[in-house]
Amino acid sequence: MLVVNRFRVQDADADAFREALETARATLAGCRGYVDGTVGRNLDDPSLWTLVTTWEHVGAYRRALSTYDVKLQAVPLLSRAIDEPSAYEPVVPGADLNTHETRSLG
């Protein structure tokens, strides 16, 4: 499962934001079910940043969000994300695509 969080950040806030984003990524990385994560900055519009994380399943991600450390170190920053859907299923050859049905939390 992929989580893509995008942020719009003023140039004056970029250094502090980058540090907070790295802290959030590192905190999430300590959670069970975390697979990988990347911080990115848009090449054409440097005010756009992203945090992309990969999880074993949606349940692992949702449980991570409820941990004390994540609530303290990551959720305040994640609440600054652009308001848009952020959870994605990887599309692999031959797999069924996403449906509007309720899914298992894993």
Side-chain angles (χ1 to χ4, degrees):
M1 181 227 157
L2 303 171
V3 178
V4 180
N5 298 112
R6 295 186 323 128
F7 305 86
R8 185 162 303 277
V9 180
Q10 300 298 320
D11 285 343
D13 300 329
D15 289 338
F17 181 80
R18 180 181 183 177
E19 185 176 323
L21 196 56
E22 284 292 350
T23 298
R25 189 206 54 77
T27 302
L28 290 166
C31 295
R32 181 192 230 170
Y34 176 91
V35 175
D36 193 23
T38 304
V39 170
R41 189 174 186 190
N42 190 281
L43 294 172
D44 297 317
D45 182 353
S47 70
L48 285 174
W49 291 73
T50 188
L51 172 63
V52 179
T53 54
T54 306
W55 298 84
E56 289 179 1
H57 47 74
V58 68
Y61 174 64
R62 291 181 178 163
R63 281 190 289 277
L65 291 178
S66 68
T67 66
Y68 177 78
D69 286 343
V70 170
K71 285 181 182 179
L72 187 66
Q73 299 292 331
V75 169
L77 180 117
L78 294 174
S79 70
R80 295 178 54 187
I82 295 171
D83 187 17
E84 62 187 13
S86 61
Y88 294 84
E89 289 184 308
V91 176
V92 295
D96 291 334
L97 296 178
N98 192 13
T99 64
H100 290 288
E101 298 172 11
T102 304
R103 298 210 172 215
S104 168
L105 294 179

XYZ file of all heavy atoms in Angstrom:
821
model
N 0.839 -1.162 0.000
C 0.000 0.000 0.000
C 0.887 1.228 0.000
O 1.891 1.280 0.706
C -0.860 -0.061 1.263
C -1.815 1.039 1.439
S -1.771 1.711 3.072
C -2.431 3.261 2.646
N 0.546 2.209 -0.821
C 1.308 3.456 -0.916
C 0.519 4.587 -0.278
O -0.697 4.662 -0.439
C 1.544 3.832 -2.374
C 2.261 2.826 -3.254
C 2.203 3.280 -4.708
C 3.684 2.686 -2.802
N 1.219 5.480 0.396
C 0.608 6.702 0.912
C 1.395 7.866 0.326
O 2.615 7.945 0.472
C 0.642 6.756 2.455
C 0.033 8.063 2.949
C -0.095 5.557 3.044
N 0.683 8.753 -0.362
C 1.303 9.908 -1.000
C 0.726 11.165 -0.364
O -0.455 11.479 -0.563
C 1.036 9.918 -2.521
C 1.686 11.132 -3.158
C 1.517 8.624 -3.162
N 1.540 11.849 0.428
C 1.144 13.113 1.041
C 1.878 14.235 0.340
O 3.099 14.192 0.202
C 1.498 13.147 2.533
C 0.783 12.091 3.324
O 1.406 11.167 3.804
N -0.517 12.205 3.446
N 1.110 15.229 -0.151
C 1.730 16.378 -0.809
C 1.521 17.619 0.050
O 0.500 17.761 0.716
C 1.121 16.592 -2.193
C 1.406 15.464 -3.142
C 0.936 15.712 -4.570
N -0.319 16.428 -4.676
C -0.495 17.530 -5.425
N 0.504 18.052 -6.113
N -1.677 18.106 -5.499
N 2.507 18.513 -0.007
C 2.493 19.721 0.809
C 2.892 20.917 -0.043
O 3.737 20.795 -0.923
C 3.511 19.611 1.955
C 3.334 18.400 2.813
C 3.925 17.188 2.456
C 2.581 18.451 3.970
C 3.776 16.062 3.251
C 2.423 17.331 4.764
C 3.024 16.134 4.407
N 2.312 22.075 0.254
C 2.753 23.328 -0.360
C 3.390 24.147 0.759
O 2.772 24.406 1.781
C 1.599 24.080 -0.992
C 2.101 25.319 -1.720
C 1.120 25.888 -2.709
N 0.647 25.013 -3.753
C 1.287 24.763 -4.902
N 2.478 25.288 -5.125
N 0.753 23.992 -5.824
N 4.658 24.528 0.528
C 5.462 25.175 1.570
C 6.106 26.437 1.006
O 6.708 26.394 -0.079
C 6.564 24.206 2.078
C 7.405 24.847 3.149
C 5.939 22.914 2.565
N 6.001 27.531 1.739
C 6.649 28.782 1.341
C 8.165 28.626 1.433
O 8.679 27.905 2.298
C 6.187 29.931 2.244
C 4.691 30.184 2.200
C 4.223 30.586 0.814
O 4.889 31.355 0.121
N 3.085 30.044 0.396
N 8.899 29.309 0.554
C 10.364 29.224 0.538
C 10.973 29.533 1.897
O 11.931 28.879 2.316
C 10.952 30.174 -0.504
C 10.778 29.657 -1.928
O 10.509 28.450 -2.095
O 10.921 30.466 -2.859
N 10.423 30.501 2.590
C 10.974 30.900 3.893
C 10.863 29.786 4.927
O 11.638 29.754 5.890
C 10.262 32.157 4.394
N 9.928 28.877 4.736
C 9.699 27.786 5.685
C 10.340 26.468 5.259
O 10.215 25.462 5.951
C 8.195 27.549 5.869
C 7.475 28.776 6.401
O 8.096 29.543 7.155
O 6.293 28.964 6.042
N 11.004 26.454 4.100
C 11.481 25.203 3.508
C 12.461 24.441 4.395
O 12.349 23.221 4.535
C 12.104 25.461 2.142
N 13.425 25.118 5.006
C 14.419 24.410 5.826
C 13.776 23.755 7.045
O 14.037 22.582 7.344
C 15.538 25.356 6.263
C 16.442 25.757 5.112
O 16.490 25.028 4.094
O 17.095 26.811 5.225
N 12.930 24.485 7.746
C 12.259 23.927 8.925
C 11.303 22.814 8.522
O 11.201 21.787 9.202
C 11.513 25.025 9.677
N 10.615 23.002 7.388
C 9.690 21.977 6.922
C 10.431 20.696 6.565
O 9.995 19.604 6.920
C 8.886 22.477 5.714
C 7.912 21.459 5.223
C 6.699 21.275 5.868
C 8.211 20.655 4.131
C 5.801 20.312 5.423
C 7.324 19.696 3.684
C 6.110 19.525 4.330
N 11.557 20.842 5.879
C 12.342 19.668 5.488
C 12.757 18.867 6.722
O 12.657 17.636 6.736
C 13.579 20.104 4.714
C 14.447 18.954 4.282
C 15.667 19.436 3.537
N 16.459 18.327 3.056
C 17.543 18.452 2.331
N 17.973 19.658 1.978
N 18.210 17.391 1.942
N 13.199 19.547 7.747
C 13.597 18.862 8.982
C 12.400 18.155 9.618
O 12.501 16.997 10.037
C 14.194 19.880 9.954
C 14.750 19.254 11.209
C 15.431 20.275 12.104
O 16.089 21.193 11.581
O 15.282 20.141 13.335
N 11.254 18.833 9.670
C 10.049 18.220 10.244
C 9.585 17.031 9.411
O 9.136 16.013 9.950
C 8.945 19.264 10.354
N 9.712 17.133 8.101
C 9.312 16.044 7.212
C 10.210 14.823 7.398
O 9.731 13.690 7.439
C 9.339 16.527 5.765
C 8.617 15.700 4.715
C 7.156 15.494 5.073
C 8.732 16.371 3.362
N 11.500 15.056 7.547
C 12.431 13.941 7.797
C 12.141 13.292 9.153
O 12.224 12.071 9.292
C 13.877 14.424 7.729
C 14.369 14.660 6.321
C 14.511 13.372 5.505
O 14.413 12.248 6.055
O 14.709 13.486 4.290
N 11.798 14.099 10.145
C 11.442 13.554 11.458
C 10.185 12.701 11.354
O 10.117 11.602 11.923
C 11.242 14.690 12.476
O 12.472 15.392 12.627
C 10.783 14.158 13.825
N 9.195 13.197 10.619
C 7.961 12.431 10.434
C 8.244 11.108 9.726
O 7.756 10.052 10.139
C 6.953 13.256 9.641
N 9.059 11.141 8.672
C 9.390 9.914 7.943
C 10.116 8.928 8.840
O 9.806 7.739 8.856
C 10.242 10.224 6.703
C 10.420 9.006 5.790
C 11.678 9.063 4.967
N 12.872 9.252 5.758
C 13.493 8.299 6.483
N 13.018 7.090 6.536
N 14.577 8.569 7.160
N 11.075 9.415 9.610
C 11.831 8.541 10.511
C 10.924 7.942 11.588
O 11.076 6.770 11.963
C 12.979 9.312 11.145
N 9.981 8.718 12.079
C 9.051 8.214 13.089
C 8.163 7.130 12.501
O 7.968 6.072 13.108
C 8.199 9.370 13.657
O 9.072 10.365 14.204
C 7.270 8.875 14.755
N 7.629 7.372 11.316
C 6.813 6.357 10.646
C 7.636 5.101 10.362
O 7.131 3.979 10.475
C 6.228 6.914 9.350
C 5.150 7.979 9.526
C 4.886 8.715 8.215
C 3.875 7.369 10.076
N 8.911 5.284 10.016
C 9.779 4.143 9.700
C 9.946 3.207 10.890
O 10.239 2.021 10.704
C 11.148 4.636 9.225
N 9.754 3.703 12.085
C 9.875 2.871 13.278
C 8.634 2.054 13.582
O 8.619 1.283 14.540
N 7.608 2.191 12.772
C 6.346 1.501 13.024
C 6.288 0.150 12.335
O 6.840 -0.037 11.250
C 5.179 2.359 12.550
S 4.991 3.889 13.470
N 5.580 -0.762 12.955
C 5.388 -2.089 12.400
C 4.613 -1.987 11.086
O 3.635 -1.257 10.988
C 4.596 -2.921 13.404
C 4.340 -4.313 12.983
C 3.325 -4.903 13.895
N 3.754 -6.169 14.411
C 3.126 -6.802 15.371
N 2.086 -6.264 15.956
N 3.545 -7.977 15.764
N 5.072 -2.685 10.075
C 4.419 -2.704 8.791
C 4.946 -1.683 7.799
O 4.571 -1.696 6.629
N 5.850 -0.802 8.254
C 6.467 0.175 7.359
C 7.451 -0.555 6.456
O 8.234 -1.374 6.911
C 7.193 1.225 8.197
C 7.967 2.263 7.417
C 7.380 3.449 7.043
C 9.302 2.051 7.084
C 8.093 4.415 6.351
C 10.027 3.007 6.391
C 9.417 4.183 6.028
O 10.127 5.134 5.348
N 7.436 -0.241 5.155
C 8.327 -0.883 4.204
C 9.398 0.091 3.711
O 10.575 -0.236 3.691
C 7.545 -1.477 3.011
C 8.477 -2.046 1.963
C 6.543 -2.522 3.490
N 8.976 1.296 3.317
C 9.919 2.253 2.749
C 9.287 3.639 2.756
O 8.071 3.770 2.879
C 10.262 1.843 1.313
C 11.462 2.568 0.739
O 12.303 3.056 1.521
O 11.567 2.641 -0.495
N 10.124 4.658 2.595
C 9.612 6.018 2.524
C 10.601 6.950 1.853
O 11.812 6.754 1.942
N 10.061 7.954 1.178
C 10.882 8.907 0.447
C 10.309 10.312 0.610
O 9.097 10.503 0.536
C 10.893 8.564 -1.060
O 11.328 7.224 -1.229
C 11.802 9.495 -1.835
N 11.209 11.263 0.813
C 10.846 12.668 0.821
C 11.238 13.231 -0.536
O 12.317 12.935 -1.056
C 11.590 13.424 1.948
C 11.416 14.923 1.816
C 11.111 12.932 3.314
N 10.369 14.029 -1.145
C 10.674 14.610 -2.445
C 10.254 16.064 -2.522
O 9.408 16.528 -1.763
N 10.876 16.760 -3.461
C 10.546 18.161 -3.727
C 10.376 18.302 -5.238
O 11.190 17.807 -6.017
C 11.660 19.062 -3.221
C 11.316 20.525 -3.265
C 12.421 21.326 -2.603
N 12.049 22.734 -2.514
C 12.884 23.679 -2.159
N 14.143 23.378 -1.835
N 12.494 24.922 -2.101
N 9.333 18.994 -5.660
C 9.005 19.124 -7.068
C 10.076 19.907 -7.817
O 10.539 20.947 -7.346
C 7.643 19.806 -7.216
C 7.136 19.763 -8.622
O 7.569 20.542 -9.454
N 6.216 18.849 -8.880
N 10.472 19.411 -8.986
C 11.505 20.053 -9.792
C 11.036 21.363 -10.414
O 11.809 22.311 -10.554
C 11.962 19.111 -10.908
C 12.686 17.853 -10.445
C 12.912 16.916 -11.625
C 13.999 18.208 -9.784
N 9.784 21.428 -10.838
C 9.264 22.609 -11.520
C 8.681 23.647 -10.568
O 8.636 24.825 -10.896
C 8.200 22.207 -12.545
C 8.780 21.322 -13.635
O 9.885 21.636 -14.116
O 8.148 20.315 -13.970
N 8.195 23.201 -9.424
C 7.602 24.098 -8.427
C 8.150 23.714 -7.059
O 7.590 22.860 -6.372
C 6.078 23.980 -8.457
C 5.394 24.918 -7.486
O 6.085 25.575 -6.675
O 4.153 24.985 -7.523
N 9.269 24.316 -6.639
C 9.925 23.922 -5.386
C 9.091 24.137 -4.124
O 9.482 23.688 -3.055
C 11.186 24.791 -5.344
C 11.375 25.315 -6.715
C 10.044 25.307 -7.378
N 7.934 24.766 -4.256
C 7.072 24.910 -3.073
C 6.268 23.630 -2.815
O 5.643 23.495 -1.763
C 6.131 26.102 -3.221
O 5.139 25.857 -4.203
N 6.286 22.684 -3.757
C 5.576 21.413 -3.586
C 6.530 20.338 -3.078
O 7.584 20.103 -3.673
C 4.955 20.955 -4.904
C 3.705 21.698 -5.345
C 3.289 21.245 -6.736
C 2.574 21.485 -4.358
N 6.167 19.718 -1.980
C 6.941 18.643 -1.354
C 6.056 17.410 -1.265
O 4.829 17.505 -1.290
C 7.352 19.050 0.055
C 8.349 20.142 0.132
C 8.137 21.477 -0.113
C 9.722 20.020 0.487
N 9.299 22.178 0.082
C 10.284 21.308 0.458
C 10.527 18.948 0.838
C 11.617 21.555 0.757
C 11.859 19.181 1.145
C 12.386 20.469 1.099
N 6.680 16.255 -1.122
C 5.920 15.026 -0.955
C 6.602 14.098 0.043
O 7.826 14.107 0.193
C 5.719 14.307 -2.314
O 4.824 13.221 -2.123
C 7.010 13.802 -2.879
N 5.779 13.337 0.725
C 6.237 12.223 1.546
C 5.503 11.002 1.018
O 4.264 10.952 1.055
C 5.908 12.439 3.027
C 6.172 11.253 3.949
C 7.659 10.899 3.967
C 5.677 11.546 5.363
N 6.242 10.043 0.478
C 5.658 8.816 -0.061
C 6.140 7.664 0.805
O 7.352 7.464 0.955
C 6.073 8.587 -1.531
C 5.465 7.297 -2.063
C 5.678 9.773 -2.391
N 5.200 6.943 1.388
C 5.561 5.788 2.216
C 4.887 4.542 1.669
O 3.828 4.618 1.046
C 5.163 5.995 3.694
O 3.779 6.329 3.782
C 5.993 7.099 4.333
N 5.517 3.412 1.899
C 4.991 2.114 1.491
C 4.789 1.275 2.745
O 5.660 1.243 3.621
C 5.973 1.411 0.532
O 6.259 2.301 -0.557
C 5.391 0.123 -0.010
N 3.653 0.591 2.799
C 3.254 -0.197 3.972
C 2.866 -1.597 3.549
O 2.455 -1.809 2.412
C 2.078 0.489 4.672
C 2.453 1.840 5.164
C 2.463 3.007 4.443
C 2.947 2.160 6.450
N 2.916 4.031 5.219
C 3.224 3.548 6.463
C 3.180 1.426 7.604
C 3.722 4.200 7.584
C 3.668 2.079 8.727
C 3.938 3.444 8.708
N 2.960 -2.537 4.471
C 2.566 -3.924 4.176
C 1.097 -4.001 3.785
O 0.727 -4.770 2.899
C 2.830 -4.821 5.383
C 4.303 -5.064 5.632
C 4.551 -5.928 6.855
O 3.572 -6.369 7.519
O 5.725 -6.147 7.159
N 0.249 -3.229 4.453
C -1.189 -3.185 4.161
C -1.786 -1.961 4.842
O -1.135 -1.312 5.668
C -1.902 -4.475 4.602
C -1.532 -4.924 5.981
N -1.992 -4.294 7.111
C -0.726 -5.929 6.401
C -1.495 -4.906 8.183
N -0.713 -5.893 7.773
N -3.015 -1.644 4.489
C -3.657 -0.435 5.004
C -3.793 -0.472 6.525
O -3.684 0.555 7.188
C -5.020 -0.185 4.309
C -6.037 -1.238 4.679
C -5.529 1.211 4.612
N -4.002 -1.641 7.095
C -4.127 -1.747 8.546
C -2.859 -1.314 9.261
O -2.917 -0.657 10.306
N -1.707 -1.678 8.710
C -0.432 -1.280 9.326
C -0.306 0.239 9.331
O 0.120 0.839 10.326
C 0.738 -1.914 8.572
N -0.677 0.869 8.237
C -0.600 2.334 8.165
C -1.561 2.972 9.165
O -1.187 3.880 9.911
C -0.913 2.807 6.747
C -0.989 4.300 6.626
C 0.138 5.093 6.856
C -2.171 4.935 6.296
C 0.078 6.475 6.754
C -2.232 6.314 6.183
C -1.111 7.073 6.418
O -1.181 8.439 6.317
N -2.773 2.509 9.205
C -3.760 3.090 10.123
C -3.365 2.892 11.576
O -3.530 3.779 12.405
C -5.144 2.523 9.833
C -5.660 3.027 8.506
C -7.032 2.518 8.198
N -7.486 3.097 6.924
C -8.478 2.631 6.220
N -9.146 1.567 6.637
N -8.828 3.199 5.095
N -2.811 1.727 11.890
C -2.343 1.502 13.269
C -1.165 2.411 13.593
O -1.041 2.921 14.696
C -1.999 0.034 13.481
C -3.229 -0.832 13.716
C -2.865 -2.239 14.155
N -2.270 -3.025 13.077
C -2.963 -3.670 12.150
N -4.277 -3.625 12.154
N -2.345 -4.366 11.225
N -0.283 2.620 12.620
C 0.865 3.507 12.839
C 0.398 4.914 13.189
O 0.969 5.566 14.075
C 1.761 3.535 11.598
N -0.642 5.385 12.527
C -1.145 6.738 12.801
C -1.676 6.898 14.221
O -1.737 8.010 14.734
C -2.242 7.114 11.802
C -1.792 7.334 10.369
C -2.999 7.651 9.495
C -0.757 8.454 10.279
N -2.033 5.794 14.844
C -2.591 5.880 16.195
C -1.543 5.715 17.297
O -1.879 5.816 18.470
C -3.705 4.854 16.376
O -3.171 3.541 16.369
N -0.278 5.481 16.936
C 0.746 5.329 17.964
C 1.111 6.689 18.564
O 0.997 7.732 17.924
C 2.024 4.660 17.418
O 2.631 5.534 16.465
C 1.728 3.298 16.799
N 1.563 6.654 19.802
C 1.898 7.885 20.521
C 2.971 8.685 19.793
O 2.828 9.896 19.588
C 2.358 7.549 21.948
C 2.780 8.766 22.717
C 1.833 9.620 23.280
C 4.131 9.075 22.862
C 2.223 10.756 23.976
C 4.519 10.204 23.560
C 3.560 11.045 24.113
O 3.953 12.167 24.796
N 4.062 8.030 19.397
C 5.164 8.740 18.743
C 4.726 9.390 17.436
O 5.130 10.519 17.137
C 6.342 7.799 18.481
C 7.103 7.454 19.744
O 6.935 8.167 20.757
O 7.862 6.470 19.714
N 3.926 8.693 16.652
C 3.462 9.258 15.385
C 2.520 10.431 15.640
O 2.609 11.463 14.971
C 2.810 8.171 14.499
C 2.105 8.788 13.301
C 3.869 7.178 14.042
N 1.640 10.297 16.626
C 0.757 11.420 16.956
C 1.559 12.648 17.369
O 1.191 13.772 17.052
C -0.206 11.030 18.074
C -1.321 10.138 17.619
C -2.251 9.823 18.776
C -3.353 8.893 18.367
N -4.250 8.562 19.483
N 2.657 12.424 18.045
C 3.486 13.524 18.524
C 4.411 14.073 17.441
O 4.537 15.286 17.281
C 4.319 13.042 19.721
C 5.136 14.074 20.463
C 4.225 15.068 21.147
C 6.021 13.378 21.484
N 5.064 13.199 16.668
C 6.124 13.602 15.741
C 5.694 13.743 14.281
O 6.385 14.418 13.514
C 7.282 12.596 15.803
C 7.929 12.470 17.149
C 8.687 13.730 17.543
O 9.182 14.468 16.699
N 8.765 13.983 18.825
N 4.612 13.105 13.878
C 4.257 13.107 12.454
C 2.884 13.701 12.155
O 2.730 14.413 11.160
C 4.327 11.677 11.899
N 1.899 13.424 12.971
C 0.541 13.867 12.664
C 0.421 15.383 12.528
O -0.244 15.864 11.604
C -0.476 13.288 13.680
C -1.837 13.953 13.534
C -0.598 11.773 13.475
N 1.075 16.180 13.386
C 0.968 17.632 13.176
C 1.446 18.054 11.781
O 0.823 18.908 11.146
C 1.852 18.223 14.271
C 1.831 17.191 15.356
C 1.812 15.868 14.617
N 2.504 17.455 11.304
C 2.991 17.775 9.964
C 2.057 17.203 8.900
O 1.719 17.888 7.938
C 4.407 17.229 9.750
C 4.921 17.557 8.353
C 6.122 18.454 8.435
C 5.192 16.305 7.594
N 1.614 15.963 9.070
C 0.719 15.350 8.091
C -0.585 16.125 7.959
O -1.195 16.141 6.885
C 0.444 13.892 8.461
C 1.647 12.947 8.392
C 1.276 11.576 8.915
C 2.202 12.870 6.981
N -0.997 16.800 9.006
C -2.231 17.589 8.946
C -2.081 18.801 8.035
O -3.073 19.416 7.646
C -2.666 18.016 10.346
O -1.779 18.984 10.864
N -0.857 19.144 7.662
C -0.591 20.250 6.736
C -0.644 19.804 5.273
O -0.492 20.616 4.368
C 0.785 20.861 7.016
C 0.896 21.528 8.363
C 2.281 22.074 8.613
N 2.729 22.966 7.557
C 3.957 23.470 7.485
N 4.846 23.170 8.401
N 4.295 24.268 6.482
N -0.861 18.532 5.029
C -0.879 18.009 3.654
C -2.036 18.607 2.871
O -3.078 18.980 3.434
C -0.986 16.489 3.670
N -1.851 18.695 1.564
C -2.925 19.123 0.672
C -4.090 18.155 0.842
O -3.900 16.938 0.904
C -2.421 19.151 -0.791
C -1.325 20.223 -0.925
C -3.568 19.394 -1.757
C -0.600 20.203 -2.253
N -5.293 18.693 0.960
C -6.478 17.876 1.218
C -6.888 17.129 -0.046
O -7.569 17.673 -0.922
C -7.617 18.772 1.711
C -8.832 17.979 2.156
O -8.705 16.758 2.389
O -9.912 18.586 2.282
N -6.415 15.893 -0.151
C -6.733 15.027 -1.278
C -6.527 13.586 -0.836
O -5.827 13.333 0.147
C -5.834 15.339 -2.480
C -4.365 15.111 -2.219
C -3.465 15.594 -3.358
O -3.952 16.324 -4.244
O -2.288 15.243 -3.356
N -7.141 12.625 -1.528
C -6.917 11.219 -1.162
C -5.429 10.890 -1.214
O -4.708 11.351 -2.097
C -7.689 10.451 -2.235
C -8.736 11.416 -2.702
C -8.078 12.767 -2.638
N -4.968 10.095 -0.246
C -3.530 9.825 -0.165
C -3.170 8.341 -0.169
O -1.996 8.007 -0.273
C -2.953 10.476 1.100
O -3.569 9.938 2.254
N -4.140 7.453 -0.052
C -3.850 6.016 0.006
C -4.050 5.384 -1.371
O -5.079 5.591 -2.013
C -4.747 5.335 1.026
N -3.052 4.622 -1.808
C -3.074 3.996 -3.124
C -2.706 2.527 -3.023
O -1.884 2.140 -2.201
C -2.063 4.668 -4.065
C -2.403 6.095 -4.389
C -2.033 7.127 -3.535
C -3.094 6.410 -5.555
C -2.349 8.442 -3.831
C -3.409 7.721 -5.856
C -3.032 8.733 -4.988
O -3.345 10.029 -5.278
N -3.307 1.741 -3.903
C -2.904 0.352 -4.043
C -1.918 0.261 -5.197
O -2.145 0.869 -6.253
C -4.107 -0.536 -4.381
C -5.062 -0.711 -3.239
C -6.176 -1.665 -3.610
O -6.815 -1.462 -4.669
O -6.397 -2.608 -2.847
N -0.838 -0.470 -5.021
C 0.053 -0.690 -6.168
C -0.696 -1.472 -7.253
O -1.459 -2.382 -6.952
C 1.198 -1.528 -5.594
C 1.122 -1.337 -4.114
C -0.326 -1.081 -3.804
N -0.492 -1.088 -8.495
C -1.113 -1.795 -9.619
C -0.049 -2.704 -10.217
O 0.980 -2.239 -10.692
C -1.641 -0.796 -10.670
C -2.196 -1.543 -11.879
C -2.702 0.103 -10.051
N -0.309 -3.994 -10.138
C 0.636 -4.971 -10.669
C -0.050 -5.758 -11.778
O -1.277 -5.932 -11.769
C 1.164 -5.918 -9.561
C 1.970 -5.138 -8.536
C 0.035 -6.646 -8.874
N 0.703 -6.241 -12.739
C 0.108 -6.984 -13.852
C -0.755 -8.145 -13.368
O -0.366 -8.908 -12.478
C 1.323 -7.510 -14.620
C 2.424 -6.546 -14.292
C 2.162 -6.136 -12.864
N -1.959 -8.221 -13.908
C -2.854 -9.332 -13.606
C -3.664 -9.195 -12.337
O -4.561 -9.986 -12.090
N -3.376 -8.194 -11.514
C -4.105 -8.039 -10.247
C -5.430 -7.325 -10.494
O -5.565 -6.532 -11.423
C -3.267 -7.255 -9.251
N -6.408 -7.614 -9.640
C -7.683 -6.899 -9.703
C -7.458 -5.463 -9.265
O -6.678 -5.185 -8.340
C -8.713 -7.552 -8.777
C -9.139 -8.922 -9.270
O -9.065 -9.159 -10.493
O -9.530 -9.750 -8.430
N -8.145 -4.534 -9.918
C -8.024 -3.131 -9.554
C -8.968 -2.780 -8.419
O -9.914 -3.503 -8.115
C -8.302 -2.247 -10.773
C -7.297 -2.390 -11.914
C -7.708 -1.509 -13.087
C -5.899 -2.025 -11.447
N -8.714 -1.659 -7.804
C -9.482 -1.155 -6.682
C -10.981 -1.098 -6.998
O -11.387 -0.787 -8.104
C -8.963 0.256 -6.351
C -9.472 0.766 -5.044
O -10.025 0.033 -4.241
N -9.298 2.049 -4.825
N -11.792 -1.418 -6.009
C -13.244 -1.321 -6.132
C -13.762 -0.457 -4.988
O -13.021 -0.106 -4.070
C -13.898 -2.720 -6.036
O -13.660 -3.255 -4.739
C -13.362 -3.645 -7.110
N -15.028 -0.124 -5.022
C -15.634 0.703 -3.982
C -16.147 -0.130 -2.812
O -16.934 0.347 -2.027
C -16.777 1.543 -4.556
C -16.314 2.615 -5.465
N -15.669 3.737 -5.019
C -16.378 2.735 -6.804
C -15.356 4.505 -6.040
N -15.775 3.917 -7.152
N -15.695 -1.352 -2.689
C -16.141 -2.224 -1.608
C -15.222 -2.077 -0.405
O -14.047 -1.732 -0.535
C -16.137 -3.680 -2.077
C -17.090 -3.929 -3.224
C -16.937 -5.331 -3.802
O -16.244 -6.156 -3.192
O -17.509 -5.577 -4.855
N -15.753 -2.373 0.767
C -14.946 -2.354 1.979
C -13.874 -3.422 1.896
O -14.127 -4.536 1.452
C -15.847 -2.610 3.213
O -16.885 -1.634 3.225
C -15.042 -2.531 4.494
N -12.668 -3.053 2.328
C -11.536 -3.993 2.259
C -11.091 -4.376 3.659
O -11.290 -3.664 4.612
C -10.384 -3.356 1.516
C -10.784 -3.034 0.097
C -9.610 -3.106 -0.765
N -10.086 -2.985 -2.131
C -9.537 -3.611 -3.113
N -8.515 -4.373 -2.919
N -9.987 -3.463 -4.325
N -10.388 -5.492 3.727
C -9.821 -5.946 5.000
C -8.716 -4.996 5.424
O -7.970 -4.467 4.608
C -9.252 -7.349 4.823
O -8.466 -7.693 5.937
N -8.589 -4.776 6.722
C -7.510 -3.944 7.247
C -6.211 -4.708 7.365
O -5.197 -4.155 7.735
C -7.903 -3.370 8.620
C -9.068 -2.397 8.600
C -9.369 -1.928 10.016
C -8.770 -1.221 7.708
N -6.213 -5.977 7.063
C -4.976 -6.761 7.071
C -4.659 -7.407 8.373
O -5.016 -7.239 9.419
